[in-house]
Each structure stands twice: as structure tokens, then as C-alpha cells.
Amino acid sequence: MSRSTPHRWSAVLGAALVATVALVAVPGVAAEDGLPATLAYSHAASDVVVRYVELPGELAETGGGTTLTIRGDGSATVHYPAYMRRAGDHTTALPRAEVDALVASLFVKGVSQFDGSAVRQQLRSAETARAAALTTGEGGVVLAAVTDASTTIVELSLAAAVPAGATVLPQMVTHRAEWRGLRNDLAQHPSITALANLAAARAELRTVIDRVHTEATR
Amino acid sequence: MMGRRANLGAALPALVVAVVAIGGLVAGPRTACAGAYIFAGESNPNVVAHPKGYLGTGGTVSVSVCVDPAFPHAADAAISLQNLVATYNALLPTTGNLVFGGSNNIPSGFIDVESTLVHEVGHCLGLAHPNLATESGLSGNDRNYTKAANGADNIYGTDPGSDGVIGSSDDVRGDDVNLHWFQRANNNPFTIAGTVDTSSYSRDPSALPAGHNFATNADRTVSTLYGVSNTEAVMQQGAFSDEDQRQLAHDDVATLRYAMSGLDEAAGTGDDYALVLTYAGQTSSCDIVVRFDSVSSFASCSVGGSFLNGTHVRITSASISMNTGYNWFFNDEFSFPTPTPTSTPTLTPTTTATATPTPTATATLTPTPTPTPTPTATATATPTLTVTPTPTVTATPTPTVTSTAPTVTPTPTVTPTATATVTPTPTVTPTATPTVTPTATPTVTPTVSATPTATATPTPTVTPTPTATPRFACTPPPVPTGPTPTPVTAAAEVCQRTIAKEAAKLVSARVRTLHKCEDRKLAGKLPSGTLCETEPKTAAKLAKAASKLTKKIAARCGGDNDVCDGDPTEEDPAALGFAADCPDFGASGCSFGIFDCADVTACVECIASAATVRSTTGLFDSMSPADPSVAKDLNKCQRTIGKEAARLAVARDKTVQKCWDGRLRGRHDDLCPDRAAIPGSNGRKAADKIQKAEARYVSKICRACGGSDKSCDDSLIGPGGSFFPGSGNADDTAVAAIGFGAECSDVAGASGGAVCLGPVATLGDLVECVACLSDLAGSCVDTARVPGFGAYPCGCNP
């Protein structure tokens, strides 16, 4: 995982967060080396820092889909429902540096700023423009759809911003990025950055899933 | 009533993009399935989607389905794909199509590939979810509301109405735009109109029956309101593991058939088409390509389309992705949809209404919104067509509602596979009197007008598309229809049950023993000229089995001295349902008078012996044993035929016995087996079990004798109507090589009968012939041992 993110962090923070976020040194919450001073997450084992779920569309089982849960202490658990080949819970411990890098990477990829409504509007505009441009000789338009697409959910829990000099403990705020049909929408509209970033985040998390599974079953 | 609203909020998943109007066309580059038809949406709710290949002109639309061999599981999925092709070609509207747990062949924790593919192929043909599903952005049960767009307020109405059931007719949906096509007459998705087109179906809520708020969908929960539990449209989103949903429900068939009425949405016109799916095998070149990969979601269909006109779309591309990460169950049994009684004598305005008291009187039958009469039995038709006989529904107080004989409207000629012969001949053989048990009393409101002499269209359910014709006139023997004997004493009941049970045991023992002997001949362990009945080891076993029958019957029917010697304390054969004379079997000498339990024993034994010998010799007599050291595969083929034929006969025997025993104990009044009975009934369970055995029988023989592809070349229809699609190749082991005769001799004798007579030119012929012989022999013994349950099949003693 790249450790070259601080530079990019600075850019993001400069645009959005610098003014309101400050480092607060409190037990259980710390800013790590390599992370921007304004980004913090809980180190407590009881707190979930990253959660990723892929919900299958057609399947109505209550077990949901594959779930990755990374807690503040670095423990990473992958849950595969009973109807999956890897069924069961697999847990391993991730090094702190790796969790830091993952949190930073997800932040950079916009998980905490993901605005589903705005992206939908962007998608509509792109499709309308594309419709106007397309002709097929049969009514002039092309239709496309993917049925029963899965829903991608990525949650990132960060310490809320507190004013500089504040003495209160920051609250953990869970940011949620959720999109149905990510793979297809991105294939249709690769220029929509928010979707591309979410897909990249998803790919990164799936790499972690594979690693957790491999280590847990070794 | 104030409707509850589900606010989508900002964090909900992507909603489908509404299509937009461009240059007068309602269109857009992309939309997800947003209606009963894919590509319908809020701005174009009336869109009807057609399968790939439909260009607006009538005829046959052929859609090929294949599995990509470059990806995993291509071979594993072959049978499921062939089954689903048969399912879509049959277009059988089915109730009870949800089969759970121990009633299906899916291991716990596994997801049925075939059921999932049936759903996804539906999408690839142009069908959408009938429910809101995940594309709505709603969660949990709210996804089960009927498919709609969320209207001007961008919020779905989610009030389930007074019945509390989501998806039912009293749902309050606010300004939601209905996208689900419903039956105008009754808004009941668990029935289907005889003619499916714009005259009988609508999407417009103003066409809903009086008192209905919204279109009902075919969700499994809603089905209970209509007395058809365990039923759900396969297109309803939301599947579970360990669930078999391989057959189409009425709603699925109606949606497909509505599209088949063409651009004018009127059935019977020149732009109608017949939909025919074919299995193209393991290739990546076909209309619907299935791939198993590790990157897709659970299962999905990627589909493209283009407009034929303002409201009609045709599919232009389709592919299915299945994720390999799931515990997929690959069905290894060929099967064919087994329709439950498809008559739904629902009291609707489309049912023939007669008997209005005055010439000017008018009547409209207004059924209560939910329960409809549940047919408990209909007719057994020949495998070519299933047609509801004339169910009579009586509404109270008046008028009497009588549904007339159904209109049979077979679709145009269909050729599902290269070898299947399509015969839309409406040969209907109703074999049972339908018993209609209304679960609710319909309300008759004599206020709305109808002309006094009007004869409205009945609402029969017609199986429209036969997909193959059995090679033989292998009509199942007549279903026993006689009165149930009612033993006057407990002892008589015990006697009766013992006769039935021990006769069944004798049959199984004889089949096993004779086939074992024949197998030893094929294996070269006995001389090929051995007459098994007299072969010492075999004869001893047969004698032992017969002796057991005699002893058991004597002990239970022989009166005070436990001997069948005619003493007055014995059970009276006549009271047990036995006729004065043993009915004989193919002129085998079993035609003596029955006066006491010794005669009963002799009669049952005689018929069982004759039937098992005939069905065995009918199979093996002309077979030339192949030397296993020289022709190993051929020998294996021959032995598999014998072994599986025996298995099928024994399975049938045991299953039917268990069913009859239940009836003898007064636990039910079913026929055994009864394929047309409602799911879960004893007769239906027996039929289903036999069908499973039949599937195994065909599968095993085709695997052993079907050549390199391990499939029979021809499509087959078993005695019970089961359909087994063929591979269409030409690599089966030749019948001549197997050594089977050129004719399927009638098991009960050469004269008359002709139940199983017919040429045996192919392996398919052979498979059908053997099954037919076995089925007939079994049926004869069945009715001989429990004669009070019905007439002795005519084919047993022509």
C-alpha cells in the first residue's frame, strides 16, 4: 500500500477540511504518522473503523453478502454467509500502519464525501447526453440494463472534527458510500469520478478480504 | 387512509435512471428493469419488451441459450439449462412452484442454479421484477410492493392496506405509477386468462376491478391470500438457499404471452409470435450466454435493447453472469414442469354467466378481493396438452356460474430442440372429475350489466405449448375411480392393508430377483439362454417371496385359525372390494373365482408374477448380451438399462403402496399417484416421487448409453408426462447393438391393449418403452391389490 498519500491528503484537506478539523490527542484516538493531522479514527477494539458489504441483488437471505469489518485495534474479520463457498468468519490482525494506509486511501477515494444524490444526478445528465448522441437505426436509441445488480456499501468511521483547543472527546462519525450496480454503471460511464473512486475503494477492500481469508485459513 | 411513505434519503443506492423523451420517442440510453417489462419506467410505463429476434412480425422467435466453456461450471450447468429451456417452451402456468427443504434435491446451504437461471433468463427475455425489488432503493419487505415508478413526489407509497399484506390489491400507493400488468377481470396474478392480450390485461389502474387499489403481484406472501400457498412468480426478486423454484407461475406466463400478442397487443393477429428457446450447448456464441465468473454479483443479466416503436422494445443483447463464490447446486436430473391443476375457477366477470332470472336482468360477479376457489383436483391430460376440464363453480345466491369447456389455444408450431416434435394437438383426456372447493364464498352483486344471453369467455388455463410428443400411445392407465372400500371392522382394515402391502413387497422382491438374474446373464455369469424364473437360485427367492405373501395374508385375513381355508371367520373378499373373479393379466390364467382369502392371495400373486415376468422378459428377451471383455461400454449400457428399469419399478411400487396405505387408513382420499392433485397432497407427493425416480432412470440410462455427450439424442416423455430434453446429437448407442427388439411389445399381451406398442428405433424409444412397460405392469398390480379403489386398467388384460 502506498505511503505517498500525505501529499494528496494535504490537497484534499486544503480543499475541504483544514478549517474545521484539528488533531485532538485523546486516549484511544490518535493521529498516526503519515496521516494528516486532521484525520483520526478510534483505536478501540470495540469500534468499527471500516466496514464493507456487498449485498447480492437477487438473493433475499438475511445473511446478506460478504462483509469485511476492520476494528480500531486492527482486527479484520471477513464474514461469508452460509451459502457461500467460504462460509464462516475469518479473522486476522492487520498492522496499524496498514489500517492507517487503508483509512487514508478510502478517504482519498472519497468514501466519506460520497453523495449518492449528486452522483445520480451526474449519471442522469451523462445518460441524457449520451441518448441524444446515439442512433441505432431502430428508433434511434440504445437501451441497456443490468438486473439484480449487487449493492456496494463502504463505511468509514472517523473522528468528527472538533474546534482547535477543544477539550471534549471527538465523536466517531460513520460515513457511508452506497451504490447499486457499481460495476455496470462505471462501465457505462467511466468518466464519473465518484463511481471510479468507489470502485477503486471496493477493489482495495476486496484485496484485504482475500488477504484476511488467506491468513485466517493458512 | 393516510399512506406511510418510505423516504429514500440521500444515502440510498442508485436508482434507475428514468428514461427520457427524445424527439417524440420515449427513450433513453440506459435504464434498469423498472416494470413488469424491462425498460419500462415512469415516463414510458406502457413499454412491452420482446425477446431478441422479434422484429414486429409474427412467427416463431427463437432464442438460443448457451454456457461459455471458457469459464467454470460450463458442463455442470448443462442439465439445468436444458431443463429451463424446456420450462420456457412449455409455458406452463404453475402453482406450488416453491419447493423447500427435504422436498427438493438441493442440499442445505446451497443455492439452486436452475432456479436462479430461470429468473435471470426471464430478464434476458424482457421481463422485469413484478415487485419493486432492490432497484427501488427500498429495503426489507417494502421491496415486495408491486412494481411501480415512484411518481411526482419521488417517494414510493408503502401502505399495505387493511390486510397488512404487501403487494396485494388493497395497497395504498399514493401517486406511484403502476408498472405491473394485471388481469382486468380479477387482478389475480395466480390465474391466467384464456386469451392474454389487451382485452384481458392492462397496466392502467383505472382498469382494476372495483374496490382494488393497486395491481397485485405474485409474491409468495400474497399467494396465501388466494389459497395457493408456496407459489411465487419466478420473476419476483428475492430467492433463498435450499429453494427450488424452477417452474413458471401464472404471472410469468401471462407476461410472456402478453408480449407474444405482438405490437398490436391483440392475440390472434398476424404479429403474434411463439417463443422457442433452444439449448446451444457449451459455446459463447448464442443469444443468451451464461458465464460463471468471480467478479460479477451473485447473478445478473446484462441486457441491451432498442425500440421497435414508441411502446415496444426488443432485446438486442443478453448475457448472464453468475458468481462462482456461492454454493451453487447443479441439478443433475432432467425434469419437466409438472403443472398443478391450472384451472382456477375464479369467479370473475370473464366466467360464463348464465341464468339471470329475467331477460333483462344483469349480473356481475364480484369476487371478494382475496381468496379464490381452490381447485382440489382437475384432470390428467395426455402429455401433449393439459387442459382444464369443465369445472363447475356455483356462486351463491344466484346466478349459477359455469365455466364451460376451456378454449384451447395452442401456440403456433414450436420446435424446442432439433429433435423434438411439436404436436399442438389438443388431445385431452380428462381422467378425473374436478372437485372445486371454494375457500371463500364469492359475493354476487347483481347490479352491473351484462346482456342476458352473453357468454363471456371462460378463464381456463391452457397449456399452450407442447414441446414433444411421446413416441408411444403410452397413455397412463386409467386412474381408479371406484368407491373407497370401507371395511366394517378394524380387522378387515388390517387385512386389506396387509394384502396391499404384501403384494407390493412381492412385486418389489420379484423385480429385484428377476432383474438380478438377468443382470448376471448380461455379466456373463449365467448362460445367456437361462430362463430366470426357473433358475434355481432365482426360483428359490421367488418362492420365498410368494410364501411370505401367503403367510402374511393368512395371518391377517384368515380368521380365527389364521388360515385361508374358507372358514366363516375369514374376511369377505367382496367386502374388501374384490370382484367375483380375478381380473387376469394378459391371458395368464389369473381368471379364477375369488371366494376366500386364499383366492385373494392367489389372485394377487398370479397377477404380480405375470406382470413382473412380462415386464422383465419384455425388456431382456431380445437383448443380446455384449461380452464385457470385448464391448465394455455396450455391456455397461445394457446392464444399466436393466438395473435402472428395476429401480424405477421398485421405486414406483413402494411409493404407490405408501400412498394407498394412507388411504386405506383413512388419512386421505387421493388417487395414487395423481399428478394433477394439488401440491402437498398424498397423490401428488406420490406422483412427484415417481417422477423423480423417472428422472433418475432416464438420466442414468442416457448417461450410460448416450454416447460421448452422455445424453440421449432425442427428447423424451416418460409415462408420467415428464419431459427430458435431448441433446440433438446422433451418438447414442444403437438399439440394434443393444439387442432390443424393433417393437415395444405390449406387456400384457400381443393382442389388443397397445398401450406400449410402437417401434423402437432409437435409444429414446427404448427408454420410453421400458418405462412404459414398467408403469403399466405396476399399475395393473396396484389396482389388483386394492380393487376397491377403482377399475382394473384395460391395458392389463386386453
Side-chain angles (χ1 to χ4, degrees), chain B residues 98 123 129 184 223 299 340 437 464:
Chain B
L98 291 168
H123 286 314
H129 296 133
R184 290 171 183 265
S223 74
T340 55
T437 309

Side-chain angles (χ1 to χ4, degrees), chain A residues 54-62 64-66 81-87 115-117 120 123-124 126-128 130-132 134 136 138-151 176-181 183-185 188-189 202 206, chain B residues 9-20 22 25 27-33 38-39 55 109 111 119-120 123 129 134-135 236-241 293 295-308 313-314 316 324-327:
Chain A
E54 195 76 24
L55 292 173
E58 160 65 358
L59 204 56
E61 292 277 2
T62 52
T66 307
Y83 43 82
M84 295 195 75
R85 286 170 58 199
R86 294 176 170 179
D115 182 346
S117 297
R120 278 194 294 279
L123 193 71
R124 278 195 196 97
E127 292 187 342
T128 303
R130 189 174 159 200
L134 284 172
T136 66
E138 271 186 4
V141 291
V142 171
L143 303 160
V146 174
T147 66
D148 299 309
S150 64
T151 299
R176 181 182 176 102
E178 180 172 332
W179 194 261
R180 179 186 168 276
R183 189 162 163 251
N184 180 65
D185 285 342
Q188 296 281 325
H189 301 284
R202 177 185 181 276
R206 293 203 71 85
Chain B
L12 288 170
L15 293 180
V16 296
V17 177
V19 290
V20 294
I22 300 170
L25 281 178
R30 172 198 177 277
T31 180
C33 49
I38 208 162
F39 301 124
L55 298 173
I111 301 161
H119 177 90
E120 296 304 333
H123 286 314
H129 296 133
T134 51
E135 56 265 28
Q236 202 87 356
Q237 189 192 50
F240 295 84
S241 60
D293 62 38
V295 295
S296 61
S297 65
F298 169 70
S300 64
C301 172
S302 299
V303 60
S306 62
F307 277 86
L308 288 163
V313 166
R314 78 177 182 98
T316 53
T324 53
Y326 291 84
N327 287 334

Side-chain angles (χ1 to χ4, degrees), chain B residues 692-706:
Chain B
K692 273 195 173 183
E694 211 173 61
R696 178 200 156 95
Y697 158 84
V698 173
S699 175
K700 293 284 183 183
I701 294 179
C702 289
R703 193 175 286 247
C705 309

Side-chain angles (χ1 to χ4, degrees), chain A residues 55-60 146-151 178 180, chain B residues 6 8 12-16 32-36 119-120 123 127-150 156-158 166-167 173 176 179-180 217 219 232-239:
Chain A
L55 292 173
E58 160 65 358
L59 204 56
V146 174
T147 66
D148 299 309
S150 64
T151 299
E178 180 172 332
R180 179 186 168 276
Chain B
L8 294 182
L12 288 170
L15 293 180
V16 296
C33 49
H119 177 90
E120 296 304 333
H123 286 314
L127 304 186
H129 296 133
N131 57 332
L132 288 177
T134 51
E135 56 265 28
S136 67
L138 299 177
S139 59
N141 289 334
D142 282 348
R143 294 169 176 166
N144 289 330
Y145 282 98
T146 299
K147 175 66 75 184
N150 57 13
Y156 287 106
T158 53
I166 291 173
R173 300 293 300 274
D176 289 359
L179 295 174
H180 186 267
N217 69 47
D219 182 71
E232 186 174 81
V234 300
M235 294 314 300
Q236 202 87 356
Q237 189 192 50

